[in-house]
């Protein structure tokens, strides 16, 4: 069960605040160089990518527009592998002709992003690339061309820096693994 002490629920810290901040700053430098002279549109996927996008956009020195989408996977056995995604919040404005960079929190099976790339690609951006803070390649079901990766992590369920368990832990400044009791006692 979740306690009122978020830190006490975390077993191992996988990525410290300092590690995350340093890597996000590096990504910002790299992205600013790659898109030099062009304005960039960042599209983030709520809710998990919120802290990542907030930090990344401030480490990019180009003119940046942002837009937000919210999606949820359809629950149920058949949809798990089909990758059907429901759009809860769509883009606010057109991305046609823009250089678009998707900011994701984590790529696991890749099904969500696979859907998003097809969806956003259909809106005729000038270019479409992917930036993810975390990549868990062990569980990938579809091949995704990832252009920028913060960290490659092992096949563990992580929380913090936007990532939740039961909608909690998103406000942690680091990424960690929950103690097993947090899952077992809530079932
Ligand atoms: P995919 O479609 O790539 O399997 O899953 C992407 C989504 O699953 C992520 O945006 C995230 O919401 C969720 N997810 C995948 N792995 C983790 C994890 O380790 N921790 C948390 N909190 N969410 C995860």
């Amino acid at each position: 069960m979740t306690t009122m002490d978020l830190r006490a629920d975390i077993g191992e810290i996988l990525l410290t605040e300092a590690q995350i901040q340093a890597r996000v700053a590096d990504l910002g430098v790299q992205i600013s160089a790659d898109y030099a002279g062009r304005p960039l549109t960042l599209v983030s996927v709520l809710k998990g990518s919120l802290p990542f996008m907030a930090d990344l956009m401030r480490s990019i020195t180009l003119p940046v527009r942002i837009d937000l989408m919210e999606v949820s996977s359809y629950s149920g056995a058949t949809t798990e592998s089909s990758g059907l995604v429901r759009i809860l919040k769509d883009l606010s404005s057109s991305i046609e002709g823009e250089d678009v960079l998707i900011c994701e929190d984590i790529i696991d099976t890749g099904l969500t992003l696979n859907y998003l790339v097809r969806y956003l690609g259909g809106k005729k951006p000038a270019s479409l690339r992917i930036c993810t803070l975390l990549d868990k390649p062990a569980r990938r079901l579809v091949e995704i061309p990832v252009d920028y990766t913060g960290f490659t992590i092992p096949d563990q369920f992580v929380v913090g820096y936007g990532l939740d368990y039961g909608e909690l832990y998103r406000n942690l400044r680091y990424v960690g693994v929950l103690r097993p009791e947090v899952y077992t006692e809530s079932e």
Side-chain angles (χ1 to χ4, degrees):
M1 198 166 54
T2 297
T3 67
M4 289 307 288
D5 181 354
L6 294 180
R7 177 64 189 92
D9 291 346
I10 303 293
E12 183 196 356
I13 293 180
L14 226 56
L15 301 168
T16 65
E17 179 180 5
Q19 284 175 304
I20 295 170
Q21 291 304 323
R23 186 71 188 112
V24 173
D26 283 350
L27 287 172
V29 170
Q30 196 186 338
I31 291 166
S32 302
D34 290 353
Y35 289 88
R38 290 143 66 194
L40 183 60
T41 301
L42 301 179
V43 173
S44 180
V45 190
L46 294 169
K47 303 169 190 166
S49 308
L50 206 55
F52 177 46
M53 187 194 210
D55 286 339
L56 183 67
M57 65 188 267
R58 286 176 292 175
S59 63
I60 295 174
T61 51
L62 307 166
V64 158
R65 293 189 188 90
I66 64 166
D67 210 335
L68 299 164
M69 288 189 70
E70 186 169 6
V71 299
S72 81
S73 305
Y74 282 101
S75 50
T78 50
T79 51
E80 169 85 9
S81 55
S82 70
L84 269 180
V85 170
R86 191 156 52 112
I87 295 179
L88 302 178
K89 187 214 167 297
D90 206 341
L91 295 173
S92 302
S93 36
S94 166
I95 54 167
E96 188 171 341
E98 296 183 7
D99 288 309
V100 174
L101 182 62
I102 303 175
C103 296
E104 256 291 22
D105 48 0
I106 187 165
I107 309 177
D108 187 18
T109 63
L111 292 172
T112 309
L113 206 49
N114 188 48
Y115 172 86
L116 270 177
V117 166
R118 280 184 285 137
Y119 180 77
L120 294 174
K123 299 198 172 285
K124 301 189 171 56
S127 68
L128 184 60
R129 287 186 176 176
I130 296 168
C131 177
T132 186
L133 178 72
L134 305 176
D135 187 8
K136 275 203 293 200
R139 283 174 30 101
R140 193 77 91 254
L141 292 177
V142 281
E143 218 30 67
I144 300 273
V146 184
D147 301 283
Y148 305 96
T149 301
F151 301 92
T152 300
I153 61 167
D155 184 14
Q156 281 177 303
F157 186 83
V158 293
V159 298
Y161 197 67
L163 291 159
D164 76 308
Y165 174 64
E167 291 298 327
L168 297 176
Y169 307 100
R170 295 190 196 275
N171 54 325
L172 293 175
R173 291 175 176 272
Y174 47 84
V175 169
V177 180
L178 285 174
R179 301 167 73 90
E181 307 88 85
V182 180
Y183 305 106
T184 46
E185 287 171 22
S186 64
E187 284 164 5

